[in-house]
Amino acid sequence: MDRIEILRQINIIFAELLDNQNIQITEATVAYDIEDWDSLMHLQLAVAIEKNFEVRFNLQEIQSWVGVKDIIDSVVQRLN
Amino acid sequence: MITFNLEVILNKIQDRNLHHAVKLRNNTHDLGDLYHHKASLFLKKYEAYLQREGENIDFGINRYLIMLETMLQERIQFIKTGQYSNTSFEEVEKSVYANPEAMVSHMHGLVLAQFLWPDQYTRFLFFSTNFHKYFNDFCTYLEIGGGHGLYLNEAIELFPQARQFDLVDISQSSIDLAKGIIDNDRVNYYHKNVYDFDENEYNFITMGEVLEHVEDPLGLLTKTVSLLSPNGVCYITTPINSPMLDHIYLFNDEEEIRTLFHSAGLQIIEEKIAISDNKSTTYAKKNKTPVMYAAFLKKI
């Protein structure tokens, strides 16, 4: 799975979690850019991404994510 | 020398966990002068206790950050399963309450959380600003599961001449911490399971964040009511959707708590609800965000 497809699927997860079907994230999006992306949402996101891509992350890795690029890096690493 | 300063604590947390420190600053920056006054009074006592124990505030901050890490693990588990990871009191008693290392660490973490988390401060403020309506110098006070002693300490600060202050707790580590911080000879401490406690009837009973630690909260409330004088008042708090290492009873919403109070023969006089991180009710329901519930109650 390439980064563009991973980004597309993560975008769907964001849209569902934030109840916003119009949301458009990019690899450059960071938590600061999205108002509701706080620590609780961060964990919801991590669990949803684990489920969607059938991968597991450790807490340290989840806490190190600053933005979408970090999430995609983690997913790519797991899928490869 | 006591050097307490909330900013010092936040800076120390920032050195270890920048994101969390930013969140704490955002959540506490506009809580006002009373917040700083109350936080300063209690945390100075805490720091004095740490010094008497040969420690300093770094010890408390380390414990707080460890607790935070454990809490995040529990939250992830909760998001996945919708359940708390522990459901047995016996297991939690072995792993936490009767394990001084785990208990001390957890309790120290909770001390700082009382003033770093706005929902915790909200319930404390609710107690502090309304306690005088239900208590006076002729009254007797009991605290069940006193934790770090914040509420008992506040009761003594507000009514230093009151007739009696008692605390009963199942954990010796918790009693030692409360005793050390409160540092007041007027308090009687009982290391007992509350079910084995039959000292008296009390005019006022505080039971903060205890119901979620037991398998049978109705049984505990019934016992609490039996310790309350006919016209007595109690102050009870418990969280909703709040996974922690030692939480075993899950309340899904505030209505479940109200129903339980009614079943135990208690009537709500006034209540307070605070959602973690100041989220909206809709958001909290959808995402099972932790909610703090507190109420003053009397017998029906």
Side-chain angles (χ1 to χ4, degrees), chain B:
Chain B
M1 195 178 89
I2 307 301
T3 55
F4 170 77
N5 182 327
L6 196 58
E7 196 53 30
V8 169
I9 291 177
L10 288 171
N11 284 339
K12 283 175 182 285
I13 291 174
Q14 186 172 317
D15 290 342
R16 307 266 302 274
N17 187 335
L18 175 64
H19 294 301
H20 187 62
V22 169
K23 174 181 162 176
L24 294 178
R25 283 186 203 284
N26 286 340
N27 286 350
T28 57
H29 82 281
D30 59 353
L31 290 177
D33 291 343
L34 183 61
Y35 164 74
H36 286 279
H37 174 67
K38 293 287 185 188
S40 171
L41 278 181
F42 188 73
L43 294 176
K44 269 182 185 166
K45 290 187 87 164
Y46 174 55
E47 203 171 350
Y49 163 70
L50 287 174
Q51 287 195 357
R52 287 197 298 277
E53 293 291 305
E55 297 287 354
N56 58 36
I57 197 65
D58 291 338
F59 177 87
I61 290 169
N62 282 340
R63 266 58 196 174
Y64 171 79
L65 290 171
I66 290 168
M67 183 192 74
L68 193 69
E69 195 95 345
T70 312
M71 216 177 79
L72 293 178
Q73 299 276 17
E74 293 290 325
R75 165 67 44 190
I76 288 175
Q77 198 60 24
F78 181 66
I79 294 169
K80 287 178 181 171
T81 64
Q83 300 294 323
Y84 290 165
S85 62
N86 285 312
T87 51
S88 152
F89 181 81
E90 201 181 337
E91 277 173 27
V92 174
E93 187 177 26
K94 268 188 211 156
S95 61
V96 185
Y97 309 138
N99 176 348
E101 199 182 330
M103 190 65 192
V104 167
S105 187
H106 189 58
M107 294 311 300
H108 279 268
L110 285 174
V111 171
L112 291 185
Q114 300 308 302
F115 289 100
L116 292 178
W117 301 352
D119 52 335
Q120 294 296 316
Y121 176 64
T122 299
R123 80 183 174 102
F124 170 69
L125 191 64
F126 181 55
F127 174 84
S128 177
T129 53
N130 293 292
F131 182 56
H132 67 94
K133 297 180 196 168
Y134 314 109
F135 199 79
N136 60 47
D137 282 346
F138 301 101
C139 289
T140 53
Y141 178 101
L142 171 68
E143 185 138 345
I144 299 172
H148 33 65
L150 173 67
Y151 286 80
L152 177 52
N153 184 72
E154 184 69 1
I156 298 171
E157 291 281 340
L158 294 169
F159 291 93
Q161 304 303 321
R163 220 165 83 210
Q164 190 180 340
F165 291 105
D166 290 353
L167 181 150
V168 59
D169 201 303
I170 199 169
S171 159
Q172 185 61 49
S173 310
S174 179
I175 287 180
D176 291 343
L177 180 62
K179 202 173 188 173
I181 295 176
I182 295 170
D183 196 23
N184 187 314
D185 293 340
R186 293 211 51 215
V187 183
N188 305 301
Y189 295 92
Y190 298 89
H191 177 209
K192 274 185 178 179
N193 186 319
V194 69
Y195 287 105
D196 302 323
F197 182 79
D198 282 306
E199 291 302 314
N200 250 318
E201 279 189 343
Y202 291 84
N203 301 115
F204 194 97
I205 299 177
T206 295
M207 186 164 68
E209 312 291 88
V210 180
L211 289 178
E212 69 278 14
H213 294 263
V214 299
E215 291 174 24
D216 175 22
L218 179 58
L220 179 57
L221 282 172
T222 305
K223 172 66 189 176
T224 305
V225 171
S226 78
L227 292 168
L228 197 62
S229 65
N231 295 314
V233 170
C234 50
Y235 178 73
I236 299 176
T237 76
T238 193
I240 296 156
N241 293 326
S242 174
M244 289 278 255
L245 191 63
D246 53 352
H247 290 184
I248 59 177
Y249 193 93
L250 171 63
F251 290 105
N252 294 285
D253 57 46
E254 49 270 33
E255 208 44 49
E256 284 184 10
I257 302 170
R258 293 183 186 120
T259 303
L260 198 70
F261 285 156
H262 187 77
S263 303
L266 287 166
Q267 181 184 336
I268 296 164
I269 306 170
E270 52 184 323
E271 64 178 10
K272 188 83 180 172
I273 292 165
I275 302 173
S276 190
D277 293 345
N278 299 317
K279 295 290 183 193
S280 69
T281 309
T282 314
Y283 181 96
K285 277 196 194 309
K286 184 187 171 211
N287 296 294
K288 295 197 169 194
T289 304
V291 174
M292 180 286 305
Y293 178 91
F296 287 92
L297 307 114
K298 62 181 180 183
K299 286 182 179 178
I300 292 172

